[in-house]
Amino acid sequence: MSQADAASLHVPVLAERCLELLAPALQTPGAVLVDATLGMGGHTEAALRRFPALHVVGIDRDPQAIALASARLAPFADRFTAVHTTYDHIDDVAAEHGDDAGLVQGVLMDLGVSSLQLDETQRGFAYAHDAPLDMRMDQSAGVSAAQLLAEASEAELRRILKVYGEEKFAGRIAAAIVRRRATAPLTRTGELVDIVRENIPAAARRTGGNPAKRTFQALRIAVNGELEVLERAMPRAVEALAVGGRIVVESYHSLEDRAVKAVLARGATSSAPPDLPVEPETHKPYLRLLTRGAEEADAAEQARNPRAKSVRLRAAERLRPTPEHLLTRPTDRPTRRRSTA
């Protein structure tokens, strides 16, 4: 895929709404935005065009995305920095590229699989095309979907499909995978689609689109550790925000949205016991929610961009530093990779 293809094929979800929510923070002198899920750079390009003094740091674990986005954003090279890493390193990225205090004015997260990964059929993310069962967002590291299907126990496969895919027939599909791999390894997406279709009752296949959709979502999340990364990243993203800074997060399924909601709601809620007559300053909320619940795309946006059909958008503003008693300790994570100009 070329730079021109990236710009023409990638339509960022709710770009105008994201920028509207971020604008009060990004208009401050010297503002830095971390686009924690750079992808093909659509949101970043829109932000750089709208805010002429803004610097954007784009994070992505996919080297191909970094290369394509960097080419697309070449006209803004002096105001854009790419970092090849997972976005649970956002605190390290902010410390390196933020203000003197190691903080930034904006954070944007557009979660889930990117258009690049879906459109590159050989990556194995799409159930509509036969391809190698890979599904890794960074093909230079980690365990592929084929390896996971070969090595995980039946109980673990059932858990993955049920929890990450909310698949009602997880047990039947997991058992069929184990039976199949006893005779020959699963290496192609088409083989997995056939197994799923054969183990979902005909009545259940008549609605809801492709019956393999939930299984492919579940495996992708498991292969890339998406929920674990998100659960580590959310509190670190909040801590990377300067006072007055804003965070906007777009989720595409309930598990993501639940994790985002929990962190933002915690920051927007007083930590004082309800029976205290006066709320101590150190227990006041440190975030202000900017959306009423999770916003959805309207019909016009969905018609313009099919990926927007399942989006849930949440946003918040930092009001004050997080009280000491609410700070969480960082958990272990892999070493961060280097920035690229």
Side-chain angles (χ1 to χ4, degrees), residues 100-117:
D100 291 342
L103 301 173
V104 298
Q105 286 62 51
V107 170
L108 174 63
M109 297 180 180
D110 183 17
L111 304 175
V113 65
S114 73
S115 301
L116 165 66
Q117 291 152 350

Side-chain angles (χ1 to χ4, degrees), residues 22 33-39 43-44 56-62 66 80-81 83-91 93 104 106-112 137 229-230 233-234 236-237 240 247-250:
L22 290 165
L33 168 69
V34 175
D35 183 345
T37 48
L38 177 63
H43 283 103
T44 285
V56 179
V57 182
I59 297 174
D60 209 291
R61 65 165 67 178
D62 187 336
I66 291 281
F80 170 69
T81 305
V83 181
H84 178 211
T85 192
T86 51
Y87 63 89
D88 55 340
H89 288 283
I90 191 168
D91 49 346
V93 172
V104 298
V107 170
L108 174 63
M109 297 180 180
D110 183 17
L111 304 175
M137 293 178 178
V229 172
L230 177 60
M234 276 301 300
R236 292 170 185 170
I247 179 171
V248 174
V249 187
E250 295 177 289

